[in-house]
Amino acid sequence: MTRSGAWPGMTAPDSAAVTLGVASLVSVVFTVTDGDPWQLVEMPARAVAIAVVLGVLACLGGLLERVLLVRAVGGAFLLAALVMFGELVFGTDWIGGAASTLSLWAGLGMGLLAAGLAPRDI
Amino acid sequence: MSQVANAASRSADATVTRRGGIAVVRVGVALLWIQNVAWKVPPDFGENSRGGLYNWTRWAVDREVFAPWAWFVEHVVLPNFVLFGWLTLMVETSLGAFLLIGLATRFWALVGFAQTIVITLSVLHAPNEWHWSYFLMLLTHVALFVTAAGRCYGIDGLLRPAWLRSASPVARLLVRVS
């Protein structure tokens, strides 16, 4: 197994998982921003909780080379994105985010699934 | 020998810098779409209040940029506005998501270029708009396409070797769009 990821000593898929986990953790800063130009993603309190928990789990999955954990977190992000989509369709307030939250989590979910499903011999 | 090693090291550093710079641009463009999809708000996308996405779409008619586009907006889009609102929301949500992680990036760069054309034809002559905003959006999507930006610290770069080894039609498609 080659260890040619962006993070030293890690495989590329595990580096990707850690990077996406860090991205989720960084995204919580937008909970303190308000409006243009700095509120890039809508991050109410429940969204922050989701982002922190899943972000930590993604980082752990990459650092500990736990492929199943990375896949599970990817699936969880996609489920969260689906819930956000349901909020937009039905006008409910389960999480309280916006389409920006949906877009971010859909991307993180797809990315983590891809990292979790990537061949380990690349 | 040390000169060769130094040259190789400098070349490797330049490659990391180049690839990192491309990735930064890709993520930045993704954040542009992510931030701006938030104000496309269902269920009516501003149609009842004459605000939001509806207002911005109306500029295509009120401050015409291209007559056929203005006709299309007035006679097709605005009478079916909620449908086009949802289409816009789904396209821009997808642009943000896929460009953020760098998956099928060349395809989504083309989609982003096309969506920017749509936006430009609608709002280029709207009040207080800076035309270079839209020209720069077009140029950055061209850059994402020609650099295959997803191969630089993106999922395309992660999975492309596996796609190249595979004979499946899906893998062959992903090679072309990445």
Side-chain angles (χ1 to χ4, degrees):
Chain A
M1 184 188 306
T2 59
R3 295 189 175 267
S4 58
W7 301 84
M10 298 179 68
T11 66
D14 292 323
S15 285
V18 172
T19 301
L20 294 171
V22 168
S24 181
L25 294 173
V26 168
S27 74
V28 304
V29 305
F30 298 115
T31 196
V32 300
T33 57
D34 185 28
D36 289 341
W38 303 118
Q39 190 172 31
L40 301 184
V41 185
E42 189 75 25
M43 271 288 170
R46 287 182 205 144
V48 168
I50 292 170
V52 168
V53 170
L54 295 185
V56 168
L57 289 175
C59 289
L60 285 175
L63 289 168
L64 300 176
E65 301 181 8
R66 296 289 189 261
V67 171
L68 290 180
L69 178 57
V70 172
R71 293 177 191 173
V73 176
F77 265 120
L78 289 179
L79 181 61
L82 194 61
V83 170
M84 267 312 315
F85 182 70
E87 277 202 34
L88 296 176
V89 171
F90 299 113
T92 53
D93 193 29
W94 305 315
I95 298 174
S100 55
T101 325
L102 162 63
S103 184
L104 174 68
W105 286 350
L108 294 179
M110 287 189 294
L112 284 165
L113 269 182
L117 292 170
R120 295 283 144 164
D121 59 349
I122 56 175
Chain B
M1 180 66 88
S2 69
Q3 281 182 327
V4 172
N6 286 339
S9 175
R10 282 196 301 275
S11 177
D13 289 343
T15 298
V16 169
T17 301
R18 181 182 64 82
R19 290 165 52 83
I22 291 170
V24 166
V25 172
R26 172 174 54 77
V27 171
V29 174
L31 291 174
L32 179 157
W33 291 113
I34 289 172
Q35 181 176 40
N36 284 281
V37 77
W39 59 266
K40 278 90 177 184
V41 183
D44 71 344
F45 300 93
E47 185 173 16
N48 293 332
S49 64
R50 293 297 191 260
L53 181 61
Y54 185 86
N55 175 56
W56 285 96
T57 306
R58 268 219 70 92
W59 286 122
V61 178
D62 296 342
R63 296 287 181 102
E64 183 181 299
V65 175
F66 183 53
W69 179 251
W71 185 94
F72 177 74
V73 170
E74 185 173 13
H75 296 282
V76 179
V77 175
L78 291 177
N80 302 286
F81 186 68
V82 171
L83 172 65
F84 280 92
W86 277 109
L87 186 62
T88 300
L89 188 147
M90 296 311 299
V91 168
E92 295 191 5
T93 296
S94 299
L95 277 165
F98 281 91
L99 289 177
L100 181 71
I101 62 173
L103 177 60
T105 305
R106 279 191 147 161
F107 170 76
W108 288 104
L110 291 177
V111 172
F113 185 89
Q115 181 69 358
T116 304
I117 292 282
V118 166
I119 294 169
T120 306
L121 291 177
S122 298
V123 304
L124 187 63
H125 293 165
N128 303 314
E129 287 303 294
W130 186 50
H131 56 280
W132 273 104
S133 300
Y134 306 103
F135 298 165
L136 286 169
M137 278 179 70
L138 290 170
L139 291 171
T140 50
H141 286 88
V142 170
L144 294 182
F145 180 84
V146 299
T147 59
R151 301 183 202 177
C152 302
Y153 301 114
I155 297 298
D156 287 343
L158 177 68
L159 294 180
R160 200 173 153 83
W163 295 337
L164 286 167
R165 289 201 304 261
S166 172
S168 83
V170 173
R172 284 203 296 264
L173 175 64
L174 287 167
V175 165
R176 293 186 72 85
V177 299
S178 61

mmCIF file of all heavy atoms in Angstrom, chain A residues 23-31 39 41-55 77 80-81 83-84 87 93-98 100-102 104-105 108:
data_model
loop_
_atom_site.group_PDB
_atom_site.id
_atom_site.type_symbol
_atom_site.label_atom_id
_atom_site.label_comp_id
_atom_site.label_asym_id
_atom_site.label_seq_id
_atom_site.Cartn_x
_atom_site.Cartn_y
_atom_site.Cartn_z
ATOM 1 N N ALA A 23 -12.584 19.761 7.043
ATOM 2 C CA ALA A 23 -13.469 20.726 6.373
ATOM 3 C C ALA A 23 -14.784 20.853 7.124
ATOM 4 O O ALA A 23 -15.320 21.961 7.288
ATOM 5 C CB ALA A 23 -13.723 20.294 4.925
ATOM 6 N N SER A 24 -15.321 19.723 7.588
ATOM 7 C CA SER A 24 -16.565 19.781 8.343
ATOM 8 C C SER A 24 -16.372 20.536 9.650
ATOM 9 O O SER A 24 -17.210 21.354 10.045
ATOM 10 C CB SER A 24 -17.056 18.359 8.632
ATOM 11 O OG SER A 24 -18.285 18.394 9.341
ATOM 12 N N LEU A 25 -15.265 20.293 10.327
ATOM 13 C CA LEU A 25 -14.999 20.995 11.587
ATOM 14 C C LEU A 25 -14.818 22.497 11.357
ATOM 15 O O LEU A 25 -15.286 23.320 12.140
ATOM 16 C CB LEU A 25 -13.769 20.394 12.259
ATOM 17 C CG LEU A 25 -13.922 18.942 12.731
ATOM 18 C CD1 LEU A 25 -12.598 18.393 13.234
ATOM 19 C CD2 LEU A 25 -14.989 18.826 13.813
ATOM 20 N N VAL A 26 -14.128 22.861 10.288
ATOM 21 C CA VAL A 26 -13.913 24.279 9.976
ATOM 22 C C VAL A 26 -15.231 24.963 9.650
ATOM 23 O O VAL A 26 -15.431 26.135 9.969
ATOM 24 C CB VAL A 26 -12.910 24.423 8.812
ATOM 25 C CG1 VAL A 26 -12.899 25.853 8.273
ATOM 26 C CG2 VAL A 26 -11.503 24.012 9.258
ATOM 27 N N SER A 27 -16.161 24.224 9.047
ATOM 28 C CA SER A 27 -17.414 24.841 8.616
ATOM 29 C C SER A 27 -18.223 25.401 9.777
ATOM 30 O O SER A 27 -19.083 26.260 9.577
ATOM 31 C CB SER A 27 -18.261 23.837 7.820
ATOM 32 O OG SER A 27 -18.838 22.859 8.673
ATOM 33 N N VAL A 28 -17.956 24.956 11.013
ATOM 34 C CA VAL A 28 -18.757 25.444 12.132
ATOM 35 C C VAL A 28 -18.466 26.904 12.458
ATOM 36 O O VAL A 28 -19.243 27.553 13.158
ATOM 37 C CB VAL A 28 -18.585 24.572 13.398
ATOM 38 C CG1 VAL A 28 -18.920 23.125 13.107
ATOM 39 C CG2 VAL A 28 -17.221 24.704 14.005
ATOM 40 N N VAL A 29 -17.375 27.458 11.907
ATOM 41 C CA VAL A 29 -17.100 28.862 12.186
ATOM 42 C C VAL A 29 -18.201 29.761 11.613
ATOM 43 O O VAL A 29 -18.406 30.880 12.089
ATOM 44 C CB VAL A 29 -15.719 29.316 11.650
ATOM 45 C CG1 VAL A 29 -14.616 28.447 12.188
ATOM 46 C CG2 VAL A 29 -15.696 29.388 10.156
ATOM 47 N N PHE A 30 -18.896 29.246 10.608
ATOM 48 C CA PHE A 30 -19.919 30.079 9.981
ATOM 49 C C PHE A 30 -21.139 30.270 10.864
ATOM 50 O O PHE A 30 -22.038 31.052 10.535
ATOM 51 C CB PHE A 30 -20.313 29.500 8.619
ATOM 52 C CG PHE A 30 -19.156 29.466 7.659
ATOM 53 C CD1 PHE A 30 -18.646 28.253 7.207
ATOM 54 C CD2 PHE A 30 -18.555 30.635 7.247
ATOM 55 C CE1 PHE A 30 -17.553 28.220 6.351
ATOM 56 C CE2 PHE A 30 -17.465 30.618 6.389
ATOM 57 C CZ PHE A 30 -16.967 29.400 5.947
ATOM 58 N N THR A 31 -21.182 29.589 12.003
ATOM 59 C CA THR A 31 -22.284 29.824 12.921
ATOM 60 C C THR A 31 -22.187 31.205 13.566
ATOM 61 O O THR A 31 -23.185 31.743 14.053
ATOM 62 C CB THR A 31 -22.331 28.717 13.997
ATOM 63 O OG1 THR A 31 -23.601 28.741 14.647
ATOM 64 C CG2 THR A 31 -21.259 28.897 15.051
ATOM 65 N N GLN A 39 -20.782 34.767 5.634
ATOM 66 C CA GLN A 39 -21.578 33.584 5.955
ATOM 67 C C GLN A 39 -21.692 32.714 4.711
ATOM 68 O O GLN A 39 -22.661 32.804 3.948
ATOM 69 C CB GLN A 39 -22.968 33.941 6.477
ATOM 70 C CG GLN A 39 -23.689 32.714 7.027
ATOM 71 C CD GLN A 39 -24.979 33.051 7.729
ATOM 72 O OE1 GLN A 39 -25.657 34.013 7.377
ATOM 73 N NE2 GLN A 39 -25.337 32.279 8.739
ATOM 74 N N VAL A 41 -21.902 29.386 4.622
ATOM 75 C CA VAL A 41 -22.802 28.251 4.833
ATOM 76 C C VAL A 41 -23.690 28.563 6.020
ATOM 77 O O VAL A 41 -23.216 29.097 7.030
ATOM 78 C CB VAL A 41 -22.026 26.944 5.131
ATOM 79 C CG1 VAL A 41 -22.993 25.762 5.228
ATOM 80 C CG2 VAL A 41 -20.959 26.678 4.091
ATOM 81 N N GLU A 42 -24.976 28.268 5.887
ATOM 82 C CA GLU A 42 -25.911 28.434 7.001
ATOM 83 C C GLU A 42 -25.620 27.345 8.037
ATOM 84 O O GLU A 42 -25.688 26.142 7.721
ATOM 85 C CB GLU A 42 -27.334 28.303 6.476
ATOM 86 C CG GLU A 42 -28.410 28.670 7.462
ATOM 87 C CD GLU A 42 -28.546 30.174 7.674
ATOM 88 O OE1 GLU A 42 -28.166 30.930 6.766
ATOM 89 O OE2 GLU A 42 -29.024 30.566 8.739
ATOM 90 N N MET A 43 -25.307 27.764 9.279
ATOM 91 C CA MET A 43 -24.888 26.793 10.297
ATOM 92 C C MET A 43 -25.596 27.070 11.624
ATOM 93 O O MET A 43 -24.982 27.604 12.552
ATOM 94 C CB MET A 43 -23.366 26.857 10.497
ATOM 95 C CG MET A 43 -22.604 25.953 9.588
ATOM 96 S SD MET A 43 -22.851 24.233 10.095
ATOM 97 C CE MET A 43 -22.110 23.395 8.722
ATOM 98 N N PRO A 44 -26.872 26.700 11.749
ATOM 99 C CA PRO A 44 -27.532 26.828 13.051
ATOM 100 C C PRO A 44 -27.001 25.776 14.018
ATOM 101 O O PRO A 44 -26.203 24.912 13.662
ATOM 102 C CB PRO A 44 -29.004 26.577 12.704
ATOM 103 C CG PRO A 44 -28.961 25.740 11.473
ATOM 104 C CD PRO A 44 -27.738 26.156 10.713
ATOM 105 N N ALA A 45 -27.501 25.829 15.246
ATOM 106 C CA ALA A 45 -26.930 25.012 16.326
ATOM 107 C C ALA A 45 -26.964 23.510 16.022
ATOM 108 O O ALA A 45 -25.984 22.790 16.255
ATOM 109 C CB ALA A 45 -27.659 25.300 17.628
ATOM 110 N N ARG A 46 -28.095 23.015 15.527
ATOM 111 C CA ARG A 46 -28.178 21.578 15.257
ATOM 112 C C ARG A 46 -27.226 21.173 14.135
ATOM 113 O O ARG A 46 -26.654 20.079 14.159
ATOM 114 C CB ARG A 46 -29.609 21.189 14.900
ATOM 115 C CG ARG A 46 -30.534 21.211 16.089
ATOM 116 C CD ARG A 46 -31.946 20.768 15.741
ATOM 117 N NE ARG A 46 -32.887 21.346 16.689
ATOM 118 C CZ ARG A 46 -34.102 21.763 16.385
ATOM 119 N NH1 ARG A 46 -34.556 21.676 15.146
ATOM 120 N NH2 ARG A 46 -34.874 22.274 17.300
ATOM 121 N N ALA A 47 -27.042 22.051 13.159
ATOM 122 C CA ALA A 47 -26.110 21.762 12.071
ATOM 123 C C ALA A 47 -24.680 21.720 12.595
ATOM 124 O O ALA A 47 -23.863 20.906 12.157
ATOM 125 C CB ALA A 47 -26.232 22.808 10.964
ATOM 126 N N VAL A 48 -24.367 22.595 13.548
ATOM 127 C CA VAL A 48 -23.036 22.593 14.159
ATOM 128 C C VAL A 48 -22.779 21.254 14.857
ATOM 129 O O VAL A 48 -21.709 20.657 14.724
ATOM 130 C CB VAL A 48 -22.892 23.752 15.158
ATOM 131 C CG1 VAL A 48 -21.629 23.590 15.999
ATOM 132 C CG2 VAL A 48 -22.863 25.088 14.426
ATOM 133 N N ALA A 49 -23.777 20.773 15.595
ATOM 134 C CA ALA A 49 -23.617 19.490 16.296
ATOM 135 C C ALA A 49 -23.349 18.364 15.302
ATOM 136 O O ALA A 49 -22.450 17.523 15.499
ATOM 137 C CB ALA A 49 -24.860 19.193 17.119
ATOM 138 N N ILE A 50 -24.109 18.344 14.212
ATOM 139 C CA ILE A 50 -23.918 17.307 13.193
ATOM 140 C C ILE A 50 -22.528 17.428 12.586
ATOM 141 O O ILE A 50 -21.807 16.434 12.418
ATOM 142 C CB ILE A 50 -25.014 17.423 12.118
ATOM 143 C CG1 ILE A 50 -26.365 17.052 12.708
ATOM 144 C CG2 ILE A 50 -24.690 16.562 10.906
ATOM 145 C CD1 ILE A 50 -27.554 17.357 11.812
ATOM 146 N N ALA A 51 -22.132 18.646 12.234
ATOM 147 C CA ALA A 51 -20.839 18.858 11.583
ATOM 148 C C ALA A 51 -19.677 18.451 12.495
ATOM 149 O O ALA A 51 -18.695 17.874 12.029
ATOM 150 C CB ALA A 51 -20.695 20.323 11.168
ATOM 151 N N VAL A 52 -19.786 18.759 13.782
ATOM 152 C CA VAL A 52 -18.698 18.425 14.711
ATOM 153 C C VAL A 52 -18.589 16.904 14.904
ATOM 154 O O VAL A 52 -17.503 16.326 14.796
ATOM 155 C CB VAL A 52 -18.904 19.121 16.059
ATOM 156 C CG1 VAL A 52 -17.950 18.563 17.113
ATOM 157 C CG2 VAL A 52 -18.692 20.627 15.917
ATOM 158 N N VAL A 53 -19.724 16.267 15.174
ATOM 159 C CA VAL A 53 -19.693 14.817 15.414
ATOM 160 C C VAL A 53 -19.184 14.073 14.186
ATOM 161 O O VAL A 53 -18.269 13.236 14.268
ATOM 162 C CB VAL A 53 -21.089 14.310 15.815
ATOM 163 C CG1 VAL A 53 -21.137 12.791 15.824
ATOM 164 C CG2 VAL A 53 -21.479 14.855 17.191
ATOM 165 N N LEU A 54 -19.763 14.366 13.036
ATOM 166 C CA LEU A 54 -19.355 13.660 11.819
ATOM 167 C C LEU A 54 -17.937 14.052 11.401
ATOM 168 O O LEU A 54 -17.195 13.222 10.880
ATOM 169 C CB LEU A 54 -20.357 13.928 10.700
ATOM 170 C CG LEU A 54 -21.771 13.381 10.940
ATOM 171 C CD1 LEU A 54 -22.654 13.602 9.712
ATOM 172 C CD2 LEU A 54 -21.740 11.904 11.308
ATOM 173 N N GLY A 55 -17.553 15.297 11.622
ATOM 174 C CA GLY A 55 -16.201 15.715 11.285
ATOM 175 C C GLY A 55 -15.155 14.970 12.111
ATOM 176 O O GLY A 55 -14.149 14.490 11.577
ATOM 177 N N PHE A 77 -23.487 11.785 6.348
ATOM 178 C CA PHE A 77 -23.564 13.119 5.750
ATOM 179 C C PHE A 77 -24.620 13.159 4.652
ATOM 180 O O PHE A 77 -25.372 14.137 4.524
ATOM 181 C CB PHE A 77 -22.208 13.525 5.166
ATOM 182 C CG PHE A 77 -21.358 14.348 6.103
ATOM 183 C CD1 PHE A 77 -20.106 13.894 6.504
ATOM 184 C CD2 PHE A 77 -21.801 15.571 6.566
ATOM 185 C CE1 PHE A 77 -19.317 14.644 7.364
ATOM 186 C CE2 PHE A 77 -21.021 16.339 7.414
ATOM 187 C CZ PHE A 77 -19.767 15.863 7.820
ATOM 188 N N ALA A 80 -27.939 13.312 6.264
ATOM 189 C CA ALA A 80 -28.177 14.668 6.763
ATOM 190 C C ALA A 80 -28.548 15.607 5.620
ATOM 191 O O ALA A 80 -29.423 16.466 5.760
ATOM 192 C CB ALA A 80 -26.939 15.189 7.500
ATOM 193 N N ALA A 81 -27.887 15.427 4.470
ATOM 194 C CA ALA A 81 -28.214 16.256 3.300
ATOM 195 C C ALA A 81 -29.633 15.974 2.831
ATOM 196 O O ALA A 81 -30.369 16.880 2.439
ATOM 197 C CB ALA A 81 -27.209 15.983 2.174
ATOM 198 N N VAL A 83 -32.104 14.969 4.722
ATOM 199 C CA VAL A 83 -32.994 15.613 5.697
ATOM 200 C C VAL A 83 -33.113 17.104 5.390
ATOM 201 O O VAL A 83 -34.202 17.678 5.423
ATOM 202 C CB VAL A 83 -32.477 15.397 7.133
ATOM 203 C CG1 VAL A 83 -33.251 16.260 8.124
ATOM 204 C CG2 VAL A 83 -32.588 13.929 7.510
ATOM 205 N N MET A 84 -31.985 17.737 5.050
ATOM 206 C CA MET A 84 -32.009 19.155 4.676
ATOM 207 C C MET A 84 -32.866 19.375 3.443
ATOM 208 O O MET A 84 -33.617 20.351 3.362
ATOM 209 C CB MET A 84 -30.584 19.653 4.381
ATOM 210 C CG MET A 84 -29.849 20.271 5.530
ATOM 211 S SD MET A 84 -30.760 21.512 6.484
ATOM 212 C CE MET A 84 -31.503 22.496 5.200
ATOM 213 N N GLU A 87 -36.347 19.362 4.420
ATOM 214 C CA GLU A 87 -36.720 20.651 5.026
ATOM 215 C C GLU A 87 -37.108 21.655 3.973
ATOM 216 O O GLU A 87 -38.081 22.403 4.134
ATOM 217 C CB GLU A 87 -35.530 21.225 5.806
ATOM 218 C CG GLU A 87 -35.363 20.699 7.182
ATOM 219 C CD GLU A 87 -34.548 21.652 8.051
ATOM 220 O OE1 GLU A 87 -34.656 22.875 7.872
ATOM 221 O OE2 GLU A 87 -33.820 21.151 8.902
ATOM 222 N N ASP A 93 -38.419 22.669 10.000
ATOM 223 C CA ASP A 93 -37.264 23.290 10.655
ATOM 224 C C ASP A 93 -36.543 22.268 11.533
ATOM 225 O O ASP A 93 -36.189 22.544 12.671
ATOM 226 C CB ASP A 93 -37.750 24.478 11.499
ATOM 227 C CG ASP A 93 -36.586 25.358 11.942
ATOM 228 O OD1 ASP A 93 -35.574 25.422 11.214
ATOM 229 O OD2 ASP A 93 -36.683 25.963 13.024
ATOM 230 N N TRP A 94 -36.302 21.067 10.998
ATOM 231 C CA TRP A 94 -35.674 20.037 11.813
ATOM 232 C C TRP A 94 -34.238 20.403 12.182
ATOM 233 O O TRP A 94 -33.826 20.265 13.315
ATOM 234 C CB TRP A 94 -35.695 18.697 11.071
ATOM 235 C CG TRP A 94 -37.064 18.270 10.646
ATOM 236 C CD1 TRP A 94 -38.198 18.306 11.405
ATOM 237 C CD2 TRP A 94 -37.456 17.748 9.372
ATOM 238 N NE1 TRP A 94 -39.265 17.837 10.663
ATOM 239 C CE2 TRP A 94 -38.841 17.479 9.425
ATOM 240 C CE3 TRP A 94 -36.758 17.458 8.180
ATOM 241 C CZ2 TRP A 94 -39.546 16.948 8.345
ATOM 242 C CZ3 TRP A 94 -37.457 16.931 7.116
ATOM 243 C CH2 TRP A 94 -38.837 16.684 7.213
ATOM 244 N N ILE A 95 -33.483 20.840 11.184
ATOM 245 C CA ILE A 95 -32.090 21.237 11.413
ATOM 246 C C ILE A 95 -31.969 22.764 11.379
ATOM 247 O O ILE A 95 -31.220 23.362 12.149
ATOM 248 C CB ILE A 95 -31.141 20.610 10.379
ATOM 249 C CG1 ILE A 95 -31.182 19.082 10.490
ATOM 250 C CG2 ILE A 95 -29.715 21.101 10.550
ATOM 251 C CD1 ILE A 95 -30.388 18.360 9.421
ATOM 252 N N GLY A 96 -32.723 23.390 10.511
ATOM 253 C CA GLY A 96 -32.733 24.855 10.431
ATOM 254 C C GLY A 96 -31.720 25.436 9.472
ATOM 255 O O GLY A 96 -31.490 26.641 9.473
ATOM 256 N N GLY A 97 -31.109 24.605 8.639
ATOM 257 C CA GLY A 97 -30.127 25.120 7.694
ATOM 258 C C GLY A 97 -30.787 25.638 6.433
ATOM 259 O O GLY A 97 -31.967 25.961 6.397
ATOM 260 N N ALA A 98 -29.981 25.706 5.366
ATOM 261 C CA ALA A 98 -30.463 26.208 4.081
ATOM 262 C C ALA A 98 -29.856 25.337 2.977
ATOM 263 O O ALA A 98 -29.180 24.344 3.262
ATOM 264 C CB ALA A 98 -30.072 27.665 3.895
ATOM 265 N N SER A 100 -27.394 25.936 1.262
ATOM 266 C CA SER A 100 -25.932 25.919 1.372
ATOM 267 C C SER A 100 -25.474 24.773 2.274
ATOM 268 O O SER A 100 -24.465 24.111 2.008
ATOM 269 C CB SER A 100 -25.419 27.257 1.909
ATOM 270 O OG SER A 100 -26.050 27.589 3.135
ATOM 271 N N THR A 101 -26.234 24.519 3.339
ATOM 272 C CA THR A 101 -25.924 23.397 4.229
ATOM 273 C C THR A 101 -26.073 22.078 3.469
ATOM 274 O O THR A 101 -25.242 21.168 3.590
ATOM 275 C CB THR A 101 -26.867 23.397 5.444
ATOM 276 O OG1 THR A 101 -27.173 24.731 5.825
ATOM 277 C CG2 THR A 101 -26.253 22.662 6.625
ATOM 278 N N LEU A 102 -27.149 21.985 2.707
ATOM 279 C CA LEU A 102 -27.390 20.806 1.875
ATOM 280 C C LEU A 102 -26.220 20.562 0.927
ATOM 281 O O LEU A 102 -25.711 19.434 0.827
ATOM 282 C CB LEU A 102 -28.689 21.001 1.094
ATOM 283 C CG LEU A 102 -28.939 20.129 -0.126
ATOM 284 C CD1 LEU A 102 -29.026 18.666 0.250
ATOM 285 C CD2 LEU A 102 -30.224 20.567 -0.840
ATOM 286 N N LEU A 104 -23.063 21.635 1.035
ATOM 287 C CA LEU A 104 -21.833 21.269 1.744
ATOM 288 C C LEU A 104 -21.865 19.811 2.176
ATOM 289 O O LEU A 104 -20.924 19.044 1.941
ATOM 290 C CB LEU A 104 -21.637 22.161 2.958
ATOM 291 C CG LEU A 104 -20.458 21.790 3.864
ATOM 292 C CD1 LEU A 104 -19.130 22.044 3.165
ATOM 293 C CD2 LEU A 104 -20.512 22.560 5.188
ATOM 294 N N TRP A 105 -22.954 19.397 2.797
ATOM 295 C CA TRP A 105 -23.018 18.044 3.331
ATOM 296 C C TRP A 105 -23.116 16.998 2.221
ATOM 297 O O TRP A 105 -22.579 15.896 2.357
ATOM 298 C CB TRP A 105 -24.202 17.924 4.292
ATOM 299 C CG TRP A 105 -23.938 18.612 5.599
ATOM 300 C CD1 TRP A 105 -22.752 19.130 6.047
ATOM 301 C CD2 TRP A 105 -24.887 18.862 6.623
ATOM 302 N NE1 TRP A 105 -22.908 19.681 7.288
ATOM 303 C CE2 TRP A 105 -24.199 19.535 7.670
ATOM 304 C CE3 TRP A 105 -26.246 18.575 6.785
ATOM 305 C CZ2 TRP A 105 -24.852 19.921 8.844
ATOM 306 C CZ3 TRP A 105 -26.869 18.952 7.950
ATOM 307 C CH2 TRP A 105 -26.180 19.619 8.961
ATOM 308 N N LEU A 108 -19.496 16.624 1.150
ATOM 309 C CA LEU A 108 -18.703 15.881 2.122
ATOM 310 C C LEU A 108 -19.104 14.402 2.134
ATOM 311 O O LEU A 108 -18.252 13.512 2.231
ATOM 312 C CB LEU A 108 -18.878 16.481 3.520
ATOM 313 C CG LEU A 108 -18.334 17.906 3.714
ATOM 314 C CD1 LEU A 108 -18.600 18.403 5.138
ATOM 315 C CD2 LEU A 108 -16.845 17.961 3.424
#
